[in-house]
């Protein structure tokens, strides 16, 4: 009986394996030692249908023979998910002696989504063998062999680990977007490769940036991927121009639902507020069309939402509303509505702060979104973008920085004119040291709490901001005893102005640290008067503001304040 049952089981196994390729035989996962699940083989069959799959052998051969490999392809080729996995296989073949794999992204949402997708494809748990790192959130472990992170996170890591000793392969994705962090990483890694011959650099980019990359890196292996054929593209806009893109996008989505037989829609907007508004309108309008044209299901894809909300009836049409640039994660849409704008952080050198503004998307993003609809779909572009790559700073920013440099040089010379030539060099180094003390610790400027409620006044440009709620000082328990003076690293202008990476400092300490050039170029304010009084008399004059005084601290509370003086 047992023998017959065993024979029947073997026959069943043989039948179940007939649909699996010879190289997909049931085996143990080398990452965790467990058998592969059935979902692994299902996803493997999907992966083999991606355009990038046919280049696997060529890529691994290139990675073995060259330090730098350039891979160019359009959206939906699968390079962002498959290339990092093959790099992990490359590191595994060397038993991770040279380090693990890190893959950069330019947006936090795509970083997390790609890590989740790749962990699923590799049949491991997120946070173990596959993880991710974004600002203020890390999901990794000592067992992590493949980590997705934003480019600014990796750039900060290089400040403490300049040669990336823990990395065997660095994958720079979306290089064509030319973010500041990505460009800096590419520049720094070029020198790191000379120091570490075993390190590998893989650059993933769009086809139109190939010439520039080859000019920079010379004769290196290049792999070109061909994505799906481009869909029909219709250029146009709202009746009142691009400013009316939200209403135009919603009107177009409703027209598609009424006039087209089948196919989901993805609509790219600029902000999360627009997505919320669009979701409410489509839900209300769609209800009135349900009987005659089927159900219209708006799907909000703001950060934190999931693509798993898609199980609706076959007669329904889904409208994905997103401002995310992670175009590769949309697998099955037929219509694309691209407003052609996005929310971006733009640095303003005059006030030394980032501002959130609406700007046209880049040329590469526009091309990627066209690929989503596939050869039988249609893409509606509200505005043709002509945003080519920028190789030099903007003229206004450059002239402003140059002016600051001349002023700084003049200030140093004026302060050093009483010194003889023998002491000039050492004195110059001293003043330069004082100027970079803040930058050395990632701190940029100083602010003062003017009323004791956490309203911090910027001495450099007279803005008022709050400490970011995720900061240690931003928690409710500390708001009753906030420091009067703090240094900060990052200031963002948005709906709620905030400062981040702050550290408590006294007015006396700031005067000792700040160079004279910085102090005397501050605009007039009560806070500057307080600092000037300390310089002249050694103590602060009574404040004119409504800064609340706190009772003397006990030794225990002084110890707690000292602990909070670390960078938050």
């Amino acid at each position: 009986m047992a023998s017959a049952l065993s024979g029947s089981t073997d026959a069943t196994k043989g039948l179940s394996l007939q649909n699996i390729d010879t190289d997909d035989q049931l085996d143990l996962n080398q990452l965790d030692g467990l058998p592969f699940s059935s979902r692994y083989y299902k996803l493997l069959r999907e992966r083999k249908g991606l355009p990038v799959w046919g280049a696997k052998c060529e890529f691994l051969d290139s990675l073995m023979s060259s330090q730098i490999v350039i891979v160019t392809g359009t959206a939906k080729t699968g390079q962002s998910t498959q290339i990092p996995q093959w790099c992990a296989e490359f590191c595994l073949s060397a038993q991770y002696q040279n380090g693990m794999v890190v893959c950069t992204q330019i947006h936090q949402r795509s970083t997390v989504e790609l890590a989740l997708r790749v962990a699923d494809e590799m049949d491991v748990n997120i946070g173990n063998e596959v993880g991710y790192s974004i600002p203020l959130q890390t999901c990794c472990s000592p067992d992590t062999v493949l980590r997705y992170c934003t480019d600014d996170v990796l750039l900060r890591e290089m400040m403490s680990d300049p040669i990336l000793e823990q990395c065997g392969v660095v994958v720079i994705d979306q290089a064509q977007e030319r973010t500041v962090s990505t460009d800096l990483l590419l520049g720094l890694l070029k020198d790191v490769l000379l120091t570490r011959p075993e390190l590998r650099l893989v650059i993933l980019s769009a086809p139109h940036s190939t010439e520039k990359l080859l000019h920079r890196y010379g004769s290196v292996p290049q792999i070109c991927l061909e994505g799906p054929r481009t869909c029909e593209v219709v250029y146009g806009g709202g009746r009142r121009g691009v400013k009316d893109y939200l209403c135009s996008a919603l009107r177009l989505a409703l027209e598609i639902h009424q006039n087209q037989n089948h196919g989901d829609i993805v609509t790219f907007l600029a902000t999360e507020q627009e997505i919320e508004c669009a979701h409410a309108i489509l839900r209300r309008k769609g209800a009135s069309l349900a009987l005659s044209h089927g159900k219209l299901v708006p799907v909000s894809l703001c950060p934190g939402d999931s693509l798993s909300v898609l199980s609706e009836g076959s007669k329904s049409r889904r409208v994905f509303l997103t401002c995310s640039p992670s175009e590769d994660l949309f697998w099955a849409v037929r219509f694309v509505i691209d407003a052609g704008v996005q929310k971006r952080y733009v640095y303003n050198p005059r006030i030394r702060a980032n501002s959130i503004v609406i700007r046209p998307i880049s040329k590469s993003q526009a091309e990627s979104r066209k690929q989503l609809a596939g050869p039988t779909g249609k893409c509606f572009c509200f505005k043709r973008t002509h945003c080519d790559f920028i190789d030099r700073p903007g003229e206004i920013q450059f002239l402003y920085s140059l002016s600051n440099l001349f002023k700084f040089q003049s200030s140093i010379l004026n302060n050093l004119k009483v010194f003889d030539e023998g002491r000039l060099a050492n004195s110059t180094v001293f003043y330069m040291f004082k100027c970079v003390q803040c930058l050395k610790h990632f701190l940029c400027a100083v602010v003062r709490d003017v009323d004791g409620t956490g309203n911090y006044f910027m001495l450099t440009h007279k803005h008022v901001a709050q400490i970011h709620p995720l900061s240690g000082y931003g928690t409710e328990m500390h708001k009753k005893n906030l420091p009067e003076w703090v240094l900060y690293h990052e200031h963002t202008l948005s709906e709620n102005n905030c400062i981040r990476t702050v550290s408590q400092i006294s007015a006396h300490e700031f005067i000792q640290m700040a160079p004279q050039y910085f102090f005397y170029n501050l605009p007039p304010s009560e806070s500057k008067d307080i600092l000037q009084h300390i310089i002249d008399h050694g103590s602060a004059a009574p404040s004119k503001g409504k800064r609340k005084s706190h009772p003397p601290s006990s030794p225990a509370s002084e110890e707690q304040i000292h602990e909070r003086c670390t960078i938050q």
Side-chain angles (χ1 to χ4, degrees):
M1 180 73 176
S3 176
L5 183 60
S6 175
S8 175
T9 303
D10 292 341
T12 303
K13 287 184 178 180
L15 289 174
S16 64
L17 293 177
Q18 287 180 358
N19 295 327
I20 301 178
D21 296 339
T22 56
D23 58 339
D24 298 342
Q25 298 299 320
L26 293 174
D27 203 350
L28 297 179
N29 191 334
Q30 297 184 55
L31 296 175
D32 57 15
L34 300 175
F36 286 115
S37 66
S38 58
R39 177 166 175 76
Y40 167 81
Y41 294 104
K42 176 180 180 297
L43 293 177
L44 182 60
R45 283 189 285 268
E46 294 180 5
R47 294 164 60 192
K48 289 186 175 182
L50 294 172
V52 72
W53 191 266
K56 181 177 182 179
C57 293
E58 180 185 359
F59 172 77
L60 290 175
D61 291 341
S62 300
L63 197 63
M64 184 72 67
S65 60
S66 177
Q67 272 194 290
I68 302 176
V69 180
I70 298 175
V71 181
T72 59
T74 58
K76 302 183 82 169
T77 57
Q79 59 182 9
S80 297
T81 56
Q82 306 309 305
I83 295 292
Q85 293 186 60
W86 300 341
C87 292
E89 294 180 16
F90 173 81
C91 291
L92 175 61
S93 65
Q95 299 300 313
Y96 304 109
Q97 294 179 5
N98 300 324
M100 312 306 178
V101 181
V102 60
C103 178
T104 67
Q105 299 292 313
I106 63 174
H107 295 280
Q108 297 183 28
R109 177 180 171 86
S110 58
T111 301
V112 177
E113 289 175 336
L114 285 170
L116 292 171
R117 173 71 186 189
V118 170
D120 197 18
E121 291 184 357
M122 296 179 69
D123 211 17
V124 295
N125 294 324
I126 189 68
N128 291 334
E129 290 78 12
V130 177
Y132 63 86
S133 300
I134 60 176
L136 302 178
Q137 186 179 355
T138 298
C139 183
C140 296
S141 73
D143 297 327
T144 300
V145 298
L146 170 55
R147 177 169 63 102
Y148 283 85
C149 70
T150 52
D151 52 2
D152 56 337
V153 165
L154 185 60
L155 186 62
R156 289 204 176 206
E157 291 177 2
M158 289 192 71
M159 294 179 183
S160 57
D161 182 16
I163 62 173
L164 295 175
E165 293 182 346
Q166 303 301 318
C167 297
V169 180
V170 178
V171 183
I172 303 295
D173 199 358
Q174 299 171 298
Q176 76 279 358
E177 292 299 330
R178 300 296 301 276
T179 65
V180 173
S181 296
T182 292
D183 271 9
L184 286 174
L185 283 172
L186 290 175
L188 294 171
L189 287 170
K190 193 173 183 180
D191 293 332
V192 175
L193 292 173
L194 300 176
T195 306
R196 295 187 54 198
E198 75 282 2
L199 181 66
R200 297 294 188 267
L201 172 62
V202 179
I203 303 174
L204 308 183
S205 186
H208 52 78
S209 64
T210 303
E211 183 178 352
K212 190 177 294 293
L213 289 172
L214 291 177
H215 177 73
R216 175 180 177 82
Y217 294 103
S219 180
V220 298
Q222 176 199 358
I223 299 175
C224 300
L225 305 175
E226 295 185 4
R229 290 182 292 120
T230 305
C231 64
E232 179 184 355
V233 180
V234 179
Y235 292 99
R239 296 175 182 175
R240 287 171 287 177
V242 73
K243 293 184 179 179
D244 194 31
Y245 65 85
L246 177 59
C247 294
S248 299
L250 299 181
R251 188 184 304 113
L252 182 57
L254 293 173
E255 291 177 0
I256 291 174
H257 182 57
Q258 296 177 61
N259 300 323
Q260 300 294 329
N261 293 329
H262 66 279
D264 293 332
I265 307 168
V266 58
T267 302
F268 289 95
L269 301 174
T271 67
E272 297 174 23
Q273 291 77 11
E274 292 174 355
I275 291 177
E276 294 175 359
C277 177
H279 187 277
I281 294 174
L282 288 178
R283 196 169 187 85
R284 184 175 68 252
K285 294 288 186 180
S288 61
L289 299 174
L291 295 178
S292 57
H293 297 89
K295 189 175 182 180
L296 182 68
V297 183
V299 181
S300 172
L301 292 179
C302 291
D305 296 336
S306 172
L307 287 170
S308 62
V309 294
L310 305 181
S311 56
E312 292 285 346
S314 58
K315 295 183 179 180
S316 64
R317 187 196 303 271
R318 296 165 294 189
V319 181
F320 302 105
L321 304 168
T322 182
C323 56
S324 170
S326 52
E327 297 93 353
D328 268 335
L329 298 177
F330 293 96
W331 297 97
V333 294
R334 188 181 176 196
F335 302 99
V336 175
I337 302 175
D338 184 10
V341 291
Q342 65 177 343
K343 180 174 69 174
R344 293 177 56 189
Y345 286 89
V346 176
Y347 182 73
N348 187 330
R350 184 177 60 84
I351 61 175
R352 299 181 177 91
N354 287 321
S355 301
I356 299 177
V357 296
I358 304 299
R359 286 287 187 269
I361 62 174
S362 66
K363 179 180 178 181
S364 60
Q365 282 180 295
E367 293 297 327
S368 296
R369 293 176 181 182
K370 294 175 186 176
Q371 301 287 334
L372 299 180
T376 61
K378 184 176 292 188
C379 177
F380 299 88
C381 298
F382 285 2
K383 183 179 180 182
R384 184 187 297 269
T385 58
H386 297 281
C387 301
D388 207 350
F389 296 128
I390 300 176
D391 291 327
R392 67 177 74 186
E395 182 178 356
I396 296 177
Q397 290 85 346
F398 179 78
L399 292 177
Y400 184 85
S401 301
L402 192 62
S403 173
N404 278 344
L405 181 61
F406 288 144
K407 290 179 182 178
F408 175 63
Q409 182 185 26
S410 176
S411 175
I412 289 179
L413 293 177
N414 288 334
N415 282 287
L416 297 178
K417 61 184 178 181
V418 299
F419 293 95
D420 55 43
E421 293 184 5
R423 302 175 58 188
L424 181 61
N426 290 334
S427 300
T428 303
V429 173
F430 172 74
Y431 274 94
M432 290 293 292
F433 170 75
K434 293 184 69 176
C435 290
V436 302
Q437 276 182 324
C438 290
L439 296 178
K440 177 182 177 182
H441 299 286
F442 317 116
L443 302 171
C444 294
V446 65
V447 294
R448 172 175 168 260
D449 186 356
V450 294
D451 56 8
T453 62
N455 292 316
Y456 282 91
F457 176 81
M458 306 278 177
L459 272 67
T460 53
H461 45 77
K462 295 186 176 182
H463 281 79
V464 176
Q466 298 275 340
I467 294 180
H468 194 279
L470 294 180
S471 168
Y473 289 123
T475 57
E476 293 294 333
M477 62 180 293
H478 290 145
K479 284 192 174 180
K480 295 182 179 179
N481 193 25
L482 289 171
E484 182 176 4
W485 298 84
V486 296
L487 294 171
Y488 70 90
H489 169 55
E490 181 180 348
H491 173 214
T492 301
L493 288 172
S494 59
E495 293 85 356
N496 299 313
N497 296 345
C498 65
I499 53 176
R500 306 176 72 164
T501 316
V502 300
S503 180
Q504 181 177 356
I505 190 174
S506 69
H508 290 79
E509 290 171 331
F510 172 70
I511 290 173
Q512 295 174 5
M513 174 184 292
Q516 294 182 17
Y517 159 76
F518 178 81
F519 178 76
Y520 287 111
N521 280 278
L522 292 176
S525 68
E526 179 192 4
S527 300
K528 183 178 180 181
D529 293 341
I530 293 175
L531 295 175
Q532 184 64 56
H533 194 276
I534 294 176
I535 294 175
D536 297 337
H537 302 90
S539 62
S543 174
K544 300 177 184 178
K546 299 181 180 180
R547 170 76 187 179
K548 299 177 182 178
S549 60
H550 300 286
S553 302
S554 64
S557 63
E558 289 180 358
E559 182 179 354
Q560 293 175 353
I561 293 175
H562 175 72
E563 292 177 355
R564 277 178 34 223
C565 286
T566 57
I567 294 178
Q568 300 293 314

